[in-house]
């Protein structure tokens, strides 16, 4: 019950709902909504990781493989 208020904000809720609809039957119109929400989460994750990679800057050979120190 403590997570019930944020149920619609968590992506796993939509994934479980979609799997249940596929396994046990149900309206495929609601399945499309679940897939759309999951696609939006994927897009958001891709955009935020791309932004973080650009903010980190360019990679140099030294940054990729630094020398080992003893």
């Amino acid at each position: 019950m403590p997570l019930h208020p944020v149920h619609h904000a968590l992506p796993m809720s939509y994934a479980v709902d979609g799997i249940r609809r596929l396994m046990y039957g149900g309206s495929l119109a609601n399945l499309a909504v679940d897939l759309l929400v999951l696609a939006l989460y994927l897009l958001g994750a891709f955009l935020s990781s791309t932004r973080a990679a650009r903010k980190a800057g360019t990679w140099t050979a030294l940054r990729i493989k630094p020398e080992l120190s003893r």
Side-chain angles (χ1 to χ4, degrees):
M1 288 312 272
L3 293 179
H4 188 67
V6 294
H7 168 72
H8 293 290
L10 300 174
M12 191 66 177
S13 303
Y14 295 98
V16 169
D17 187 47
I19 290 171
R20 284 181 183 163
R21 289 183 191 283
L22 289 173
M23 289 178 63
Y24 303 119
S27 173
L28 293 182
N30 292 337
L31 179 64
V33 171
D34 294 334
L35 291 174
L36 178 66
V37 170
L38 289 173
L40 290 174
Y41 269 101
L42 179 66
L43 179 66
F46 177 74
L47 291 175
S48 65
S49 64
T50 301
R51 182 176 177 215
R54 283 191 182 188
K55 189 175 182 180
T58 58
W59 289 89
T60 62
L62 182 61
R63 190 170 173 193
I64 293 172
K65 189 175 180 181
E67 291 189 33
L68 298 174
S69 61
R70 292 183 182 199

